Amino acid sequence: MFRAIADVLRQIGGAIATVVTLPFRALARLFGGASGSTRSRRA
């Protein structure tokens, strides 16, 4: 029974982690794309 509870908590923690990291990944993609476009414009 404790193993089932631990599995549920682990899944909830993983979902929270993905939700929290998604905006930062999107920002990193935006800034990465912006810096990549400026580099290509200079060249």
Side-chain angles (χ1 to χ4, degrees), residues 1-39:
M1 181 175 176
F2 288 110
R3 187 175 292 176
I5 294 174
D7 286 338
V8 170
L9 289 175
R10 202 171 297 144
Q11 288 179 352
I12 293 173
I16 292 174
T18 51
V19 169
V20 168
T21 54
L22 271 176
F24 293 107
R25 287 183 186 173
L27 284 174
R29 275 190 191 173
L30 283 174
F31 286 115
S35 64
S37 63
T38 51
R39 285 179 191 164

